[in-house]
Amino acid sequence: FRSFMSGGRQMIVRGENFRSAQNIRIEFQRTIFVSPIFHNDTHLIFLTPAIQELQINENTHGQNSVDLVLHLDHFNKTSMLMYY
């Protein structure tokens, strides 16, 4: 996944049976939890937070990577988000 430093970028997760999940959220850098702005049976859409909200220092090369975890009830999927 990729985002702008200012955040607000849509992240789309595709799959199946998302309507049956009761607890859907993405955890950014173990500090911010975001619920989807939209979800149906096959798609989840989240907005990325601004890098300042994550309270990390911006890399001098203009890009940062942060850990993120998709939580679907008791299932967790770890990934990475690059800020440009």
Side-chain angles (χ1 to χ4, degrees), residues 14-77:
R14 292 178 180 91
E16 295 178 0
N17 301 318
F18 288 138
R19 286 195 197 268
S20 62
Q22 300 205 356
N23 184 21
I24 302 172
R25 62 186 178 165
I26 286 188
E27 173 186 349
F28 292 88
Q29 205 69 9
R30 295 185 280 279
T31 58
I32 293 182
F33 295 85
V34 176
S35 296
I37 60 169
F38 171 83
H39 78 279
N40 62 20
D41 204 37
T42 59
H43 289 80
L44 302 172
I45 300 176
F46 298 88
L47 292 180
T48 60
I51 198 158
Q52 292 84 6
E53 293 178 66
L54 300 174
Q55 299 176 352
I56 61 174
N57 296 325
E58 291 184 30
N59 186 329
T60 57
H61 300 295
Q63 68 181 37
N64 290 56
S65 62
V66 298
D67 295 326
L68 60 94
V69 180
L70 173 63
H71 296 274
L72 297 170
D73 293 335
H74 300 289
F75 171 80
N76 299 327
K77 173 69 175 162

